[in-house]
Amino acid sequence: MFNIIFLCISIPLILGGVLWRRKIDSTIHADTPVPTPVKRLRLISVSVAVLGGYIFVTRLLSIIFGPRESEELGFSLWQERIDVFGYSLSYTVIYTWLAMAILIILALILRFTVFKIPKDEPSGVQNAVELIVEAVGNYTQAQTHGAGEMLASYILTIASLMITSAFLELFRIRPPMSDITMTFALALITFILINIYGIRKKGVVGRIKSLASPTPLVFPFRVISDMAIPVSMACRLFGNMLGGLIVMDLLYTALGTGAVGIPSVAGLYFNAFHPIIQAFIFVTLTLTFINEATE
């Protein structure tokens, strides 16, 4: 009954907003600037029509498919597991493979189309890709002061994997980065790279001496702080990515049958902008710790 009432209310809102907008546009001359009050009225009229359309769509879907069943909202540190050809695999592994497959296919397409015959004066897609590669290379060199010459390819790869994995959430898939095992694996790679570059620059003895600087009394504390790096990086990335996932699920649950359009707008932040920020922070921390180990 309520759905039918709201459905009947939405139609006048849509028609009223459209007709109001047309009436406002008819008073505007093409050769004169639009006054600010008129712009506000145009915005209000469009908002009324959009509100009516939103109510109409959500109520119509509720009438057709019925009320949405209530779901229990729960989260776990680890993903569920599934048997694949006799092997027990986590969904995190499967979704990571999917993200890797997307990146590999995209790389192959670029290799055999855009970069089949590279142009001396790049344009279009080639120019965009070269700008991204150059920007990552310059940023890596600036953060490590030239100590990580071979790091740029790894940094770009890991950032691309993190962002692609996060975009999977747009399809209601739990992103791999919201699994503590995945974030710890990435942080462990960072920890290994820190010590590899530190030992390569200073040697084993020099690396140990750097941990005992400026006095041997700080050596055990420096060792503990270095051992805490992968734990802190893993927990930080996991917490932020899981937090975004929880917010989106709470939004879907709260809106119920009204989860039309609004989650898509919120997803632009939590599934697009937010993962890019987290990837940038993770990359920056990786380069910062490597730079500290090589100083």
Side-chain angles (χ1 to χ4, degrees):
M1 185 64 182
F2 286 104
N3 288 330
I4 296 176
I5 294 175
F6 280 109
L7 198 64
C8 295
I9 294 175
S10 65
I11 296 175
L13 287 175
I14 297 172
L15 295 176
V18 173
L19 294 176
W20 189 13
R21 173 62 185 269
R22 287 184 177 181
K23 183 178 180 180
I24 295 172
D25 290 341
S26 65
T27 61
I28 300 174
H29 300 285
D31 55 346
T32 58
V34 182
T36 301
V38 176
K39 291 181 179 179
R40 292 175 181 173
L41 290 177
R42 292 172 67 182
L43 179 61
I44 294 174
S45 64
V46 172
S47 300
V48 171
V50 171
L51 176 62
Y54 174 77
I55 296 174
F56 180 83
V57 172
T58 55
R59 294 307 95 193
L60 183 63
L61 290 175
S62 181
I63 292 173
I64 295 174
F65 298 103
R68 184 177 178 181
E69 297 181 359
S70 59
E71 300 178 358
E72 183 179 354
L73 192 62
F75 300 93
S76 61
L77 294 178
W78 298 276
Q79 281 268 37
E80 297 179 359
R81 305 186 72 85
I82 186 174
D83 289 332
V84 179
F85 301 111
Y87 295 94
S88 179
L89 298 177
S90 169
Y91 277 107
T92 297
V93 175
I94 297 174
Y95 294 149
T96 302
W97 287 349
L98 177 59
M100 291 167 59
I102 293 173
L103 291 174
I104 292 172
I105 292 172
L106 179 61
L108 290 175
I109 292 174
L110 291 175
R111 174 62 181 85
F112 292 106
T113 55
V114 178
F115 291 95
K116 186 175 183 179
I117 304 177
K119 300 177 182 178
D120 294 333
E121 296 182 0
S123 61
V125 177
Q126 180 182 341
N127 189 35
V129 173
E130 290 188 6
L131 285 174
I132 293 173
V133 172
E134 183 180 359
V136 173
N138 292 338
Y139 185 74
T140 302
Q141 292 296 322
Q143 292 295 314
T144 59
H145 299 92
E149 299 85 357
M150 305 298 294
L151 272 175
S153 57
Y154 166 74
I155 293 300
L156 181 58
T157 300
I158 203 66
S160 301
L161 178 62
M162 293 174 65
I163 295 172
T164 304
S165 299
F167 271 91
L168 294 178
E169 191 179 346
L170 293 172
F171 303 94
R172 298 304 304 273
I173 294 175
R174 177 172 173 173
M177 301 305 161
S178 63
D179 189 328
I180 188 66
T181 58
M182 182 66 179
T183 59
F184 186 76
L186 295 177
L188 186 60
I189 295 175
T190 292
F191 179 72
I192 294 173
L193 288 175
I194 291 171
N195 289 281
I196 288 177
Y197 277 92
I199 293 173
R200 192 180 74 168
K201 182 70 178 291
K202 302 177 180 179
V204 177
V205 177
R207 174 65 176 153
I208 295 175
K209 287 183 178 180
S210 66
L211 296 176
S213 177
T215 170
L217 294 177
V218 302
F219 179 78
F221 302 102
R222 288 291 302 274
V223 171
I224 293 174
S225 64
D226 275 20
M227 294 294 292
I229 287 175
V231 178
S232 62
M233 291 184 67
C235 292
R236 185 195 174 283
L237 179 59
F238 164 73
N240 282 285
M241 296 305 294
L242 183 63
L245 176 66
I246 292 175
V247 170
M248 289 301 299
D249 280 358
L250 286 173
L251 185 61
Y252 276 108
T253 303
L255 291 176
T257 55
V260 177
I262 296 177
S264 300
V265 176
L268 292 176
Y269 176 79
F270 290 106
N271 303 135
F273 184 66
H274 178 252
I276 293 175
I277 294 176
Q278 296 306 319
F280 176 75
I281 294 174
F282 187 88
V283 163
T284 301
L285 290 175
T286 297
L287 296 175
T288 300
F289 288 129
I290 291 176
N291 181 57
E292 290 179 356
T294 56
E295 285 183 342

